Amino acid sequence: MKFKAFLTENGVSLLEKRFLPALDKMGKICHLYLTRDHAFFLHNLLNGDGIQSVAQFRKEALFDDYRISSQNGDRIAFAVDVSLLHRALRSSVSICTEFGTGATANRLQIKLVKKLPANSTQPMPFLSLETKGFKSAVIQDVPISKPLSRTHLLELQTALGLAQDLPRTLVQVPDLNQLQSFVDRMKHVGDLLSVSIAKYGDLHVQISTTLITLGAEFRKLLVVGDQAEAPAEDRNVSAQTRSSRALLRGDAQTVQVSVKHFAKSLCYHLAKPDCAFYGIAPQGACLTVIFQFFIPGSRQMDKSISLHCRLPVLDPASS
Amino acid sequence: MDSDAPDLVCQLDNVQGMVDALTAVRWKRHQDAVIELSEHGIVLIVEDSNCLQAKVYLQRELFVRYEYGAQGRPRFGLSLGLFVDCLNTFSVPGHSSAIEIRYPGPDMQLLLKSVESLDSGIYAEMRTRIPETISWDYNFEPEWSTPLTFTVKTAALKEAIDDLEWPGASIQITLQPAPPSVTFRGDGHGDLQIDFTYYANPDLLIAFHCDRQVSHRYKYKFLRATTSNIPGSVVRDNRGSKLTIGRGGLLKVQHLVSVARTSTAHPHIDSAGYQQPSRIAYIEFFVKPEEEDTADD
């Protein structure tokens, strides 16, 4: 089992400045899953509860000179502490910029190693970051879990496949920061958020307890997938009436999710996505949030990076 | 009068000012408040242990629209914390923070909604309660013909009260005419005395009226409630708070909180630093003295 690659400059800045801070907010531990062509950062794919999150990079988006081999069809997966990886990467970057001269001098190598830690007789696996300066080399070893067995790897691969299904209707959220500050304030009022998405481009979120009902409605959002014209008779009614009418017509879906999960998903604005879409999976299986990235300086989607998460739906009766 | 017309429909162009004003009387997590509506405005009243009462006056001049359609003065109870958290949701940065407040809804709720573009909006419905009893009347009146009163910079008052935390549970406030001064004294685990003298601290002690020495003790926790949640805007605006001692040692603490939008606040401030009264919410606290008070009289 071998993995060795050089992080590109773009890869370093993507991970250090954008993705690792965002992924760290999602959860301390994630699985890093490496295949011949892709690197994935996966949260909560193997255990049922919590937000499932998938960040996928084509190898060229992060690495060059990428070499991987294993007996599981050149696939390797292990659990890693995101904040440790972020810290190690940050300090490697500062060393790179401090000592680096020329294009080749400050390359950052990342590889899988087994080492004997101090006071131990058992060799342990590490993800090792190596920076070669002019006169010195700095190596940082980030401890990782034992690589996943063939069975677990298959499980992860299956879960990843299942996590890729798209909702029929997706609406684009106009302003992530604003939605985040709104949800952060709403958090104080209740725990359960009901989210309705209509084919007309309506997103309606609401918290309802015995003492208070508090909600927000965003209309005329950009719709991707199934869409419909908003009926004229709905124009002058309350947000709640509009939502329930759309549900009755079969033009909308609604699910209940944890406010905390919803707020957490919004932390992905740290990864600086260019746009975000919300959608409800068929049969109301989950609330899906898809973040898109553009090729810098264009409005074209960067297909080498993808990020999405799936919020578990809560049964209103059980809460 | 149309019986279907709501008691009140009003609009406020800056919800943050209302959040600030109400936060000033939020001294603990769970507080029940009573709201009283009238043609003059909205009054919110909170009470604690029959010893402390606070009132927030939001006069009708603060509202861009105020349509009062009730007879008598409707009163209802609600949770102050929930009300503040709810209002706070309306003041998301980058969003117009104008709101409409309506009472009652079909089920006697308090209805709130944002007033802005048709394409996005925030709304809330708060359950209200029938207030349990007529709140105990604090019946503040001066003991003598000339009121015993002083005005101190709010920031200095808050700092003094915060500093008095360590000595103990009971704070003695003494006013004396010669030399004109106010003394806060706490003794318990240790003792600490804070003096505001009119001649030495004219920038802190702005006004002082006292013709005889008076001294009363107040529970620290109630005194602290009067300044613990003063909004930052009060300190930034360098405002003063007025304290008056009335019959039986009842202490009245008055603060002024700006309800104006920050962007339009400055044109209202004249050279003396006072804002037009229409953009100010008045906040009053009444603190009863401790039973075994040592009023020298």
Side-chain angles (χ1 to χ4, degrees):
Chain A
M1 185 175 294
K2 278 184 184 146
F3 166 68
K4 193 163 129 181
F6 287 96
L7 272 165
T8 60
E9 212 170 303
N10 184 41
V12 169
S13 89
L14 270 178
L15 289 180
E16 191 227 342
K17 296 269 183 337
R18 295 166 58 178
F19 277 83
L20 291 181
L23 295 170
D24 192 17
K25 286 267 192 271
M26 185 54 71
K28 199 170 149 60
I29 306 292
C30 79
H31 279 109
L32 181 53
Y33 176 36
L34 303 160
T35 69
R36 273 178 214 143
D37 303 307
H38 291 99
F40 297 87
F41 291 87
L42 306 170
H43 278 92
N44 290 324
L45 249 57
L46 290 183
N47 40 351
D49 48 353
I51 309 176
Q52 294 191 334
S53 153
V54 176
Q56 176 183 333
F57 300 89
R58 212 175 271 167
K59 67 178 181 198
E60 297 80 14
L62 301 179
F63 306 107
D64 62 11
D65 207 359
Y66 181 91
R67 291 175 200 185
I68 188 165
S69 71
S70 83
Q71 290 175 336
N72 293 324
D74 297 340
R75 290 176 300 187
I76 303 173
F78 47 83
V80 61
D81 181 320
V82 184
S83 58
L84 279 186
L85 183 61
H86 187 211
R87 263 162 58 191
L89 191 62
R90 209 161 36 197
S91 87
S92 294
V93 168
S94 66
I95 292 162
C96 272
T97 40
E98 219 170 297
F99 299 112
T101 45
T104 49
N106 55 2
R107 295 183 75 194
L108 179 60
Q109 194 183 51
I110 183 163
K111 63 180 177 186
L112 210 54
V113 295
K114 246 184 175 176
K115 280 188 184 171
L116 203 61
N119 307 324
S120 170
T121 52
Q122 199 83 30
M124 302 278 280
F126 291 93
L127 196 60
S128 174
L129 296 167
E130 190 175 325
T131 325
K132 285 204 177 86
F134 179 56
K135 281 182 179 167
S136 60
V138 176
I139 298 172
Q140 305 204 56
D141 293 327
V142 180
I144 58 172
S145 76
K146 262 194 195 149
L148 261 55
S149 66
R150 181 185 290 267
T151 351
H152 282 122
L153 199 69
L154 274 175
E155 251 179 76
L156 193 70
Q157 178 64 46
T158 314
L160 187 58
L162 289 175
Q164 303 289 358
D165 60 334
L166 277 181
R168 292 236 175 82
T169 298
L170 288 163
V171 292
Q172 183 178 356
V173 178
D175 185 344
L176 273 185
N177 288 321
Q178 189 189 317
L179 187 60
Q180 189 184 23
S181 61
F182 175 69
V183 171
D184 280 345
R185 286 153 200 258
M186 253 178 130
K187 266 195 304 202
H188 299 284
V189 172
D191 305 320
L192 205 60
L193 186 74
S194 89
V195 181
S196 306
I197 294 171
K199 291 177 185 170
Y200 322 133
D202 296 355
L203 170 68
H204 180 199
V205 293
Q206 180 186 289
I207 288 183
S208 190
T209 69
T210 51
L211 291 175
I212 190 168
T213 300
L214 176 62
E217 189 195 33
F218 304 90
R219 296 173 67 200
K220 298 185 182 159
L221 305 177
L222 178 79
V223 182
V224 176
D226 283 3
Q227 46 190 296
E229 197 65 38
E233 70 263 27
D234 284 3
R235 209 167 289 160
N236 292 318
V237 296
S238 73
Q240 283 143 298
T241 313
R242 223 174 351 247
S243 269
S244 54
R245 283 187 187 172
L247 273 174
L248 279 177
R249 281 188 210 109
D251 282 343
Q253 272 185 290
T254 185
V255 287
Q256 292 207 303
V257 296
S258 145
V259 183
K260 287 201 186 98
H261 284 166
F262 197 84
K264 225 180 200 186
S265 74
L266 289 165
C267 290
Y268 273 174
H269 78 87
L270 288 172
K272 303 198 178 83
D274 292 291
C275 52
F277 294 90
Y278 277 86
I280 295 171
Q283 279 91 47
C286 67
L287 178 68
T288 305
V289 198
I290 298 173
F291 300 90
Q292 281 187 352
F293 299 84
F294 295 152
I295 295 166
S298 80
R299 300 281 299 167
Q300 249 184 325
M301 204 177 120
D302 186 345
K303 292 207 171 108
S304 67
I305 308 171
S306 91
L307 176 64
H308 77 271
C309 56
R310 292 156 49 97
L311 280 60
V313 166
L314 304 178
D315 180 6
S318 70
S319 50
Chain B
M1 184 168 290
D2 182 3
S3 61
D4 287 342
D7 291 348
L8 177 69
V9 181
C10 63
Q11 279 186 14
L12 193 67
D13 62 357
N14 174 29
V15 69
Q16 188 57 46
M18 188 159 169
V19 170
D20 283 352
L22 297 182
T23 302
V25 299
R26 192 182 178 185
W27 58 80
K28 60 181 186 186
R29 206 172 148 68
H30 298 290
Q31 276 172 289
D32 286 329
V34 173
I35 289 186
E36 188 177 280
L37 309 175
S38 74
E39 66 274 29
H40 305 296
I42 301 175
V43 183
L44 178 134
I45 308 159
V46 271
E47 245 185 318
D48 196 347
S49 330
N50 266 338
C51 289
L52 174 64
Q53 186 184 64
K55 287 182 173 176
V56 179
Y57 296 90
L58 302 162
Q59 309 104 286
R60 65 179 302 157
E61 290 78 15
L62 298 181
F63 298 89
V64 285
R65 177 176 159 213
Y66 194 90
E67 286 166 20
Y68 182 74
Q71 280 163 334
R73 295 194 164 185
R75 292 161 66 97
F76 56 88
L78 46 66
S79 152
L80 176 65
L82 203 57
F83 190 34
V84 173
D85 287 340
C86 171
L87 285 170
N88 207 16
T89 307
F90 286 82
S91 75
V92 170
H95 220 249
S96 145
S97 66
I99 59 163
E100 181 189 284
I101 302 174
R102 182 183 286 261
Y103 177 85
D107 198 19
M108 300 305 279
Q109 312 97 314
L110 183 68
L111 306 176
L112 303 123
K113 67 175 188 191
S114 57
V115 189
E116 53 199 280
S117 78
L118 289 168
D119 293 345
S120 74
I122 306 174
Y123 62 87
E125 294 178 13
M126 281 197 73
R127 177 76 63 87
T128 61
R129 285 179 291 97
I130 299 166
E132 278 151 25
T133 45
I134 302 290
S135 62
W136 171 60
D137 197 352
Y138 280 68
N139 198 20
F140 187 88
E141 47 189 48
E143 190 148 14
W144 298 280
S145 52
T146 46
L148 297 170
T149 178
F150 63 99
T151 302
V152 61
K153 279 275 165 1
T154 307
L157 178 69
K158 180 175 168 52
E159 204 176 313
I161 292 178
D162 287 350
D163 285 349
L164 285 164
E165 185 174 5
W166 69 268
S170 169
I171 305 298
Q172 185 165 33
I173 300 181
T174 307
L175 270 70
Q176 60 176 31
S181 63
V182 181
T183 302
F184 289 78
R185 184 178 172 80
D187 45 357
H189 310 300
D191 59 275
L192 177 67
Q193 180 168 322
I194 297 171
D195 297 310
F196 290 99
T197 50
Y198 186 63
Y199 295 128
N201 313 102
D203 47 338
L204 295 181
L205 198 59
I206 307 157
F208 184 84
H209 299 284
C210 169
D211 54 6
R212 53 168 60 214
Q213 179 165 335
V214 62
S215 181
H216 293 280
R217 292 190 154 274
Y218 303 91
K219 267 210 162 47
Y220 179 72
K221 67 169 180 176
F222 296 136
L223 213 51
R224 186 175 180 277
T226 65
T227 55
S228 56
N229 276 311
I230 284 295
S233 66
V234 172
V235 177
R236 272 198 304 280
D237 296 348
N238 197 24
R239 290 184 192 286
S241 297
K242 186 175 174 186
L243 286 80
T244 313
I245 292 176
R247 188 181 295 279
L250 188 62
L251 175 70
K252 178 160 83 170
V253 182
Q254 292 167 289
H255 304 297
L256 307 177
V257 174
S258 167
V259 184
R261 272 173 200 260
T262 41
S263 55
T264 57
H266 294 293
H268 292 291
I269 300 177
D270 64 21
S271 53
Y274 292 111
Q275 283 197 340
Q276 282 187 354
S278 62
R279 306 303 287 170
I280 295 289
Y282 295 87
I283 294 168
E284 287 181 354
F285 288 88
F286 298 95
V287 190
K288 279 192 181 169
E290 286 187 312
E291 298 280 295
E292 62 283 66
D293 76 54
T294 52
D296 52 327
D297 201 8

